[in-house]
Amino acid sequence: MDAARRHRFLITLNFAAVYVLWGSTYLAIRYGVLDLPPALMAGTRFAVAGLLMFAWLLWRRQPLPPVRTLGPIALTGMLLLFGGNFLVTWAEITVPSGTAAVIIANLPFFMTGLEALRRDGERLSWLGVAGLIIGFTGMLILMWPKITAQGVAFGQFRGELALLGANLCWATGSIYSKHNVKGVAPLMAVALEMLIAGCALLLLGLIMGEAPHYQMTPRAAVAVGWLIVAGSLCGYSAFIWLLNHVPAAKVSTYAYVNPVIAVFLGWLFLAEPIDWRMAVGTLVILGGVAAVNAARVRLRT
């Protein structure tokens, strides 16, 4: 196989990893929280994945990051994983995995909105504003049965609100990392972020009294193992590789595919319903994502 064909093959392989493996993590989280408390489950996932990646990087003689970067690395890990991923894990106690993935697909809206608030950030174009409105409409379609239900209470939306909070944490952490975590090998930063956030989540779980409920059943072990290997090690490594070999606009297409994979797997394995409202809401949100991403690409050109 010549170099060009090998490169194309690696691009295809890594896109498949990001599309399918990341899309499957919502199902794995849903299975995991059936048996494990959310903070200790997420903490186990990231502490183990971070330790494995850190040990591998040391074996590869990857240099340690400068001391001055440890603060930004820690804050990034706390925003992305302690805040963002833990909220997704907690939300999936009550929210179906497919619905969770579709709500998380709103992430580009948060990224665009926060970037527009920065003094030197990209301004929102008319197409970006239209995308935000379309995405909000899709959210209303998904949540309409709860909004119109008799005796509706704020607590009924705690899972959906947690997912929106996860998007806010992930968007804030991503933008902060982009401008503040510099001079560090990307995978070394990821390994330390997972280690720091994983240990913090384990401590949170102990403080919340989750330890007595931590029962690593075979089903939970498979779910956590899949999250460690497929989600954190393989999926994220593929994502980082793509960012260094493919334009970011193409890499961002995972935002369209992950929800579709998650909805399909949730239907296949957990019998999560796919009714007309779910289908329409998903298509509307992904349409909004497409508009926002198109606006961001146009601004950069």
Side-chain angles (χ1 to χ4, degrees):
M1 183 181 296
D2 58 47
R5 289 181 62 187
R6 181 175 180 274
H7 186 68
R8 288 195 297 270
F9 172 76
L10 289 175
I11 289 175
T12 302
L13 183 65
N14 282 280
F15 263 117
V18 172
Y19 284 171
V20 179
L21 297 184
W22 270 9
S24 70
T25 56
Y26 294 94
L27 177 68
I29 290 172
R30 182 67 171 169
Y31 269 120
V33 295
L34 294 176
D35 299 317
L36 295 175
L40 289 181
M41 185 188 108
T44 300
R45 168 192 179 180
F46 291 118
V48 173
L51 184 61
L52 290 173
M53 183 175 287
F54 185 66
W56 179 74
L57 291 171
L58 291 181
W59 179 72
R60 292 285 302 272
R61 300 186 184 279
Q62 183 74 52
L64 293 172
V67 175
R68 61 179 172 78
T69 65
L70 293 180
I73 287 172
L75 182 55
T76 298
M78 295 299 285
L79 286 168
L80 293 178
L81 306 178
F82 183 90
N85 193 273
F86 169 66
L87 286 173
V88 174
T89 304
W90 183 81
E92 286 204 42
I93 296 174
T94 56
V95 178
S97 62
T99 303
V102 173
I103 294 176
I104 291 298
N106 284 281
L107 177 62
F109 308 146
F110 286 80
M111 294 283 290
T112 301
L114 290 176
E115 186 66 34
L117 293 176
R118 286 176 47 82
R119 181 176 301 176
D120 56 346
E122 299 169 347
R123 302 279 78 85
L124 276 173
S125 67
W126 68 267
L127 184 58
V129 173
L132 294 177
I133 295 172
I134 293 170
F136 180 73
T137 302
M139 282 287 299
L140 286 179
I141 293 172
L142 287 179
M143 299 172 64
W144 193 251
K146 288 188 177 181
I147 294 173
T148 58
Q150 293 293 328
V152 64
F154 181 79
Q156 289 180 268
F157 298 97
R158 62 184 183 274
E160 290 84 354
L161 292 174
L163 291 166
L164 295 177
N167 274 339
L168 179 60
C169 288
W170 194 272
T172 304
S174 298
I175 293 173
Y176 175 83
S177 176
K178 175 183 176 182
H179 295 283
N180 294 278
V181 180
K182 299 179 179 179
V184 185
L187 289 182
M188 178 60 76
V190 169
L192 291 174
E193 288 162 13
M194 289 194 293
L195 263 177
I196 293 168
C199 291
L201 284 164
L202 291 174
L203 179 60
L204 175 65
L206 294 176
I207 293 172
M208 293 172 62
E210 290 184 351
H213 307 289
Y214 190 86
Q215 303 293 330
M216 187 61 76
T217 64
R219 176 173 61 184
V222 171
V224 173
W226 184 259
L227 290 169
I228 291 171
V229 176
S232 298
L233 296 179
C234 296
Y236 200 87
S237 297
F239 178 73
I240 294 297
W241 189 91
L242 286 170
L243 285 178
N244 287 279
H245 293 84
V246 177
K250 290 186 178 180
V251 180
S252 69
T253 56
Y254 81 89
Y256 312 121
V257 182
N258 283 175
V260 177
I261 296 291
V263 169
F264 173 73
L265 292 177
W267 167 79
L268 182 64
F269 290 99
L270 293 173
E272 294 177 354
I274 304 179
D275 56 14
W276 69 267
R277 185 175 285 105
M278 180 69 176
V280 172
T282 300
L283 291 174
V284 170
I285 287 175
L286 295 184
V289 172
V292 167
N293 279 344
R296 294 173 68 188
V297 171
R298 185 174 299 177
L299 283 170
R300 290 194 183 103
T301 56

